[in-house]
Amino acid sequence: ETSSLVRLKNTIVEHIFQSPKELLKLSVPSLVYAVQNNMAFIALSNLDAAVYQVTYQLKIPCTALCTVFMLNRSLSRLQWFSVFMLCGGVTLVQWKPAEATKVQIDQNPFIGFMAIAVAVLCSGFAGVYFEKVLKSSDTSLWVRNIQMYLSGILVTLIGVYINDGEKVLEKGFFYGYTPWVCFVVFLASVGGLYTSIVVKYTDNIMKGFSAAAAIVLSTVASVLLFGLRITFTFASGAILVCVSIYLYGLPKQDTSKVTRPDKETRTEFKQKLITV
């Protein structure tokens, strides 16, 4: 943005080292996202895959609710309908029939549903909170990303050394990093940056729609590259996703009030009728 390494250094010093409050502010979504990811693992460990897929899609309407309450926005009935249609479409796209397995795992549905509820709330809150921070100041989008990801790196490093500290010390942090792994990390990083851009210039609900479209496109790519067969449920879900994206993008129309034409307008209209 500044085309200068000196300005880059000054910006980082000003917004990172001299602004601890801003770092703390952006550490909130980092911590919430960390909680969300762990809750998702706990939920998947205690619920069937199909139940998990259906209930986890509640993050889409939850994000819409957080947008309404935290950002004081309003959604039309058609937009609410498209949100729930998207929720159903994503569920169908990701739906896979249950497969029998010989491995018996003790599952606790109550813990699973509680974990999925926490994950859904965290997803909606963290996304809308980050959007509010991005749009409430003139601070650069890239600076905000640095502030948030520094907190995320710290939190995840602590988790890595708690769970795999001995292996990391023995074999090194980058053990097993092949060129393909690095490429996947690069793609994930680019995806995170573009997600921030989507949140900055649209909103979190539109981010959910773009993620749903990405799921459909990735499945289509799997058909072309790996010979995956398209099922009826996937085709139905893909249609619902596309229709919901179109409906959500339609402009709002306020039909609750009908304005009456004034006297001059009525007079001109009568004159036109007489002329005809």
Side-chain angles (χ1 to χ4, degrees):
E1 286 183 340
T2 60
S3 302
S4 171
L5 293 176
V6 176
R7 291 178 183 175
L8 170 64
K9 176 185 175 182
N10 294 336
T11 301
I12 292 177
V13 170
E14 178 184 356
H15 292 282
I16 305 299
F17 298 103
Q18 297 179 356
S19 301
K21 290 184 179 180
E22 295 298 318
L23 277 177
L24 289 175
K25 186 187 298 183
L26 269 298
S27 66
V28 173
S30 294
L31 293 173
V32 175
Y33 278 131
V35 173
Q36 173 197 342
N37 292 332
N38 285 279
M39 289 298 105
F41 281 116
I42 295 174
L44 192 56
S45 301
N46 289 278
L47 295 173
D48 293 333
V51 177
Y52 171 82
Q53 288 173 357
V54 173
T55 53
Y56 195 54
Q57 301 314 318
L58 292 174
K59 66 181 181 180
I60 300 172
C62 181
T63 300
L65 284 173
C66 290
T67 300
V68 171
F69 288 113
M70 294 176 63
L71 300 180
N72 295 322
R73 292 180 186 168
S74 62
L75 299 179
S76 64
R77 293 181 179 179
L78 184 61
Q79 286 179 319
W80 277 113
F81 176 74
S82 64
V83 166
F84 284 99
M85 180 185 290
L86 178 71
C87 187
V90 175
T91 301
L92 289 176
V93 167
Q94 294 184 319
W95 182 269
K96 293 181 181 179
E99 297 180 357
T101 177
K102 296 180 180 180
V103 180
Q104 300 296 327
I105 302 175
D106 293 331
Q107 294 182 331
N108 190 326
F110 177 76
I111 295 178
F113 281 116
M114 292 298 296
I116 205 73
V118 174
V120 165
L121 291 174
C122 287
S123 176
F125 172 79
V128 177
Y129 180 93
F130 184 54
E131 178 183 353
K132 187 174 183 178
V133 172
L134 279 180
K135 296 180 178 179
S136 61
S137 67
D138 296 329
T139 306
S140 169
L141 171 67
W142 310 105
V143 172
R144 289 301 190 191
N145 272 315
I146 293 173
Q147 291 172 339
M148 187 174 77
Y149 289 125
L150 280 177
S151 303
I153 290 172
L154 178 61
V155 171
T156 49
L157 275 179
I158 293 174
V160 165
Y161 279 97
I162 289 176
N163 295 318
D164 300 308
E166 295 181 357
K167 295 180 180 179
V168 171
L169 293 175
E170 179 184 354
K171 299 180 179 180
F173 184 84
F174 293 101
Y175 175 78
Y177 273 63
T178 64
W180 284 111
V181 173
C182 295
F183 182 66
V184 171
V185 173
F186 170 76
L187 290 180
S189 303
V190 173
L193 292 175
Y194 106 84
T195 301
S196 300
I197 295 174
V198 172
V199 172
K200 173 73 173 179
Y201 296 105
T202 56
D203 55 30
N204 268 276
I205 303 176
M206 189 57 69
K207 183 188 77 172
F209 279 85
S210 63
I215 293 173
V216 175
L217 291 176
S218 63
T219 306
V220 172
S222 298
V223 173
L224 299 176
L225 296 174
F226 306 112
L228 182 69
R229 293 183 179 181
I230 295 181
T231 61
F232 175 76
T233 55
F234 171 80
S236 303
I239 293 173
L240 287 178
V241 168
C242 295
V243 173
S244 64
I245 293 173
Y246 172 75
L247 292 178
Y248 185 82
L250 290 176
K252 292 183 180 180
Q253 295 182 350
D254 187 5
T255 57
S256 60
K257 297 180 181 179
V258 179
T259 57
R260 292 185 176 182
D262 53 12
K263 291 183 179 180
E264 295 181 359
T265 305
R266 282 182 287 181
T267 303
E268 291 178 1
F269 181 69
K270 289 180 180 179
Q271 289 177 352
K272 290 180 179 180
L273 283 178
I274 294 172
T275 304
V276 173

